[in-house]
Amino acid sequence: MGWIWSYGERKFKGDVKWKLKLFDSIVKGILFYGVEVWGYREWKEVEAVQEKYLKWILGLDRVTPGYIVREELKRNKLRVETGWRAGRFEEKLEKGKGGEIGMKCMVEKRKEEREKKRGKYLWRGGMSELAMREWGENKWERLRERDIEVDEQERGEEVRRSRSCKGYERVNGLPRYIWVCKRNEGKRLVRIARWRCGNEERGNRYWMSEEERKCRLCGRERETVEHLRRECDYVREKGERGVDVLNEDGRGIGWMKMIERLRKEREREREKE
């Protein structure tokens, strides 16, 4: 996937929408090879590829939770589409329209194994085989819509319970700073995304030691956005406090730049000491 990244960076730079189209048109085509056979099941390896790509788009750290970056870009898990494709293909075979090879594959697969995987997929959407038959022709489209709703609910619950991104602010639709960003504003987009998704604060990194989680400026309390905005003495001496940040339109980007500059200055001061 490396050449996709490099091509997208050279060609589209800060244009997130085109980078997502690049993923949907090329990477998905490779990931979904044979999806009609394995699509009912959710594969962590497949989901990890998408999450890694989304983190690259926004310039986020590797430790950023996948549900946070999917919420920021409003992307569903790939399982939504793989299950839908598998169901549509199976329905096509049952009607005798799938071709000779497809029919042979259908026969060779053990019925118990196929029904078990399909049953789990239907259960995830709160459906049964009987209810599916009553839905008629558009049953797979309707089930896909329900699967999207389930995925959004699960993602929202994970965001609310998040320990590493407690200050994350959910919005309806793509955040404004993303869809108004121009191709030559890639650095601005990355900076806002990193602050919104918790990459610029150490206080919520529960896997680090208590000393490592302290503010890099004052060295007293845990480093969180709230601490930097209202409590950090070093910020009070050097610049503004109480600035509105983490919103969807990128307000406070000047404050973000100031904090990053102060961190570099503070690091140089400590090196001299």
Side-chain angles (χ1 to χ4, degrees):
M1 197 166 60
W3 75 270
I4 297 291
W5 292 352
S6 59
Y7 176 79
E9 190 64 31
R10 292 195 313 270
K11 186 73 174 177
F12 306 121
K13 297 182 179 179
D15 196 327
V16 171
K17 293 181 180 179
W18 274 102
K19 287 181 178 179
L20 291 175
K21 288 181 180 179
L22 193 64
F23 179 85
D24 292 337
S25 60
I26 299 179
V27 181
K28 266 189 182 181
I30 300 171
L31 285 177
F32 286 1
Y33 180 78
V35 68
E36 293 81 5
V37 178
W38 54 263
Y40 285 134
R41 178 181 169 185
E42 177 181 346
W43 292 83
K44 293 182 179 179
E45 297 85 352
V46 174
E47 302 293 349
V49 173
Q50 176 179 232
E51 292 177 358
K52 185 177 181 180
Y53 187 90
L54 299 181
K55 291 175 187 178
W56 163 72
I57 287 178
L58 297 181
L60 302 179
D61 293 340
R62 184 179 59 181
V63 296
T64 308
Y67 54 82
I68 289 291
V69 67
R70 284 190 289 107
E71 175 64 28
E72 187 73 352
L73 290 170
K74 296 299 182 289
R75 300 281 292 191
N76 295 308
K77 283 187 174 182
L78 296 179
R79 74 179 191 194
V80 173
E81 188 169 350
T82 59
W84 173 73
R85 287 195 181 193
R88 288 287 301 274
F89 182 72
E90 192 170 296
E91 183 181 40
K92 188 176 180 180
L93 291 179
E94 290 173 352
K95 293 179 179 179
K97 299 179 181 179
E100 184 179 354
I101 296 178
M103 293 298 294
K104 286 183 178 180
C105 291
M106 188 79 166
V107 173
E108 289 180 4
K109 286 184 65 178
R110 290 188 308 165
K111 184 178 179 181
E112 297 81 4
E113 180 184 354
R114 180 164 51 86
E115 290 182 349
K116 183 179 180 181
K117 292 180 180 178
R118 174 171 164 147
K120 288 183 178 180
Y121 171 69
L122 296 178
W123 179 83
R124 191 171 69 212
M127 291 299 299
S128 64
E129 290 285 355
L130 180 60
M132 283 286 288
R133 296 191 193 99
E134 294 176 353
W135 272 1
E137 290 296 325
N138 296 324
K139 58 185 178 182
W140 290 106
E141 282 69 21
R142 294 176 66 180
L143 184 58
R144 183 186 187 185
E145 292 175 1
R146 295 192 67 164
D147 203 10
I148 290 174
E149 293 176 3
V150 170
D151 183 58
E152 291 176 350
Q153 291 171 3
E154 291 177 351
R155 191 172 68 228
E157 187 61 31
E158 287 178 314
V159 170
R160 284 189 290 272
R161 296 200 312 260
S162 178
R163 296 172 61 189
S164 59
C165 299
K166 293 181 179 180
Y168 182 78
E169 182 178 319
R170 298 187 70 194
V171 295
N172 294 322
L174 271 178
R176 181 176 173 79
Y177 79 92
I178 291 179
W179 59 264
V180 301
C181 184
K182 300 177 182 178
R183 291 195 180 187
N184 60 350
E185 295 180 331
K187 291 183 178 179
R188 177 180 182 273
L189 179 141
V190 168
R191 177 174 282 113
I192 298 172
R194 287 182 60 82
W195 278 93
R196 274 182 54 82
C197 297
N199 284 187
E200 293 296 333
E201 52 183 334
R202 292 183 175 179
N204 293 331
R205 298 189 178 187
Y206 55 88
W207 60 88
M208 298 174 69
S209 66
E210 192 62 35
E211 189 65 28
E212 291 174 320
R213 297 168 70 180
K214 287 184 178 180
C215 177
R216 282 169 278 182
L217 296 177
C218 68
R220 296 179 181 177
E221 303 294 332
R222 288 183 181 178
E223 185 183 72
T224 63
V225 171
E226 193 64 23
H227 167 75
L228 292 170
R229 289 178 62 229
R230 303 185 184 279
E231 302 169 0
C232 183
D233 294 333
Y234 196 87
V235 176
R236 181 178 58 186
E237 295 173 1
K238 299 288 185 177
E240 301 177 77
R241 298 180 68 183
V243 178
D244 185 19
V245 294
L246 304 186
N247 49 73
E248 64 168 318
D249 58 8
R251 277 173 292 161
I253 189 169
W255 181 86
M256 299 174 194
K257 291 180 180 179
M258 181 199 71
I259 295 296
E260 293 172 13
R261 176 175 53 81
L262 291 178
R263 284 173 177 168
K264 292 179 181 179
E265 292 178 1
R266 187 61 170 156
E267 186 176 352
R268 286 195 293 267
E269 290 175 3
R270 287 171 176 164
E271 288 177 355
K272 291 179 181 179
E273 294 174 359

